[in-house]
Amino acid sequence: MRYFLSRRLPEAESILLVESGSRGLLEQLAPKLRETWGEGVPIDLVTCYARMPQGFPEERTRVYRVSGYRGREGRRKLYRELARIRYSYVGIVCSGEPIMTKWKWALALRLRAKIFVINENCDYFWLDRGHLGPMRELVLFRSGLAGAGAVRTLARIFSLPFTLAYLLLYATVVHARRALIAGRRD
């Protein structure tokens, strides 16, 4: 995770997108990225889907399907291939869907590129210290601690020890009663 402490943006030479969410997000995002960084910047893709998303020409897009990189050696091979290309930017879809979760964070940690996070609205922000506010909001929203669900989530968290203690006490009483009744019969 290079550039986390810096707000500096490197020169856009190549972009890697990790398709770890709905297919429609990247199909909406592709024109925005080409508008921002130009048509000449290659955009490659790490995906778990079999077909190409719309807006990514097959002749100009390198596609890395994670199904082809199984096991420890397969993952290492993928990391080496991606590190050799030296991507300037890596875009990670964080749309609240549990698709390729381990892959996206492993790639974010291993690749020496500026990371940007793509949310479910097809907006993105940089993963650096200058954008701690949007990162905090995303984490709070995903964990249920933002908006109307915050009170319900906090109530569940605080009631968990009491609920667990009640259930343990109830199980203890029931089993003690059962042992007492079984002891009287003998």
Side-chain angles (χ1 to χ4, degrees):
M1 249 181 37
R2 192 175 181 189
Y3 302 111
F4 180 76
L5 297 176
S6 170
R7 294 185 70 177
R8 184 179 75 82
L9 297 177
E11 186 67 33
E13 296 174 11
S14 57
I15 300 170
L16 177 69
L17 296 176
V18 181
E19 189 175 22
S20 53
S22 296
R23 167 65 43 102
L25 286 175
L26 286 188
E27 290 174 347
Q28 291 176 25
L29 185 68
K32 292 180 183 180
L33 293 178
R34 297 214 185 279
E35 182 182 311
T36 302
W37 286 301
E39 291 289 329
V41 176
I43 300 176
D44 297 337
L45 188 64
V46 174
T47 186
C48 63
Y49 297 113
R51 66 174 183 84
M52 288 284 289
Q54 294 175 356
F56 290 87
E58 289 189 39
E59 63 276 355
R60 290 182 30 206
T61 305
R62 283 190 212 116
V63 179
Y64 303 94
R65 290 190 170 76
V66 294
S67 60
Y69 298 95
R70 296 196 184 266
R72 181 177 291 164
E73 283 305 312
R75 287 189 301 271
R76 285 182 183 162
K77 180 181 175 187
L78 177 63
Y79 298 148
R80 282 192 303 269
E81 285 180 30
L82 295 175
R84 183 178 41 82
I85 297 172
R86 296 180 184 251
Y87 289 100
S88 304
Y89 303 118
V90 174
I92 298 176
V93 177
C94 291
S95 60
E97 300 164 305
I99 300 172
M100 290 178 40
T101 304
K102 293 178 183 176
W103 278 102
K104 68 181 167 186
W105 295 117
L107 289 172
L109 290 172
R110 289 191 175 248
L111 296 178
R112 296 179 51 91
K114 184 79 169 182
I115 309 292
F116 62 97
V117 177
I118 306 160
N119 67 13
E120 62 275 358
N121 299 325
C122 208
D123 299 325
Y124 61 90
F125 61 89
W126 298 106
L127 190 63
D128 62 16
R129 67 178 176 86
H131 295 90
L132 291 176
M135 281 189 279
R136 188 185 74 244
E137 288 177 25
L138 183 70
V139 168
L140 289 174
F141 182 73
R142 292 284 186 265
S143 63
L145 295 173
V151 174
R152 184 175 31 246
T153 302
L154 290 174
R156 287 179 184 162
I157 290 171
F158 289 126
S159 68
L160 178 68
F162 300 109
T163 304
L164 186 61
Y166 172 78
L167 291 174
L168 287 173
L169 181 65
Y170 178 77
T172 302
V173 168
V174 167
H175 288 292
R177 184 184 288 168
R178 184 179 296 162
L180 216 105
I181 291 173
R184 287 185 190 164
R185 289 185 187 162
D186 291 338

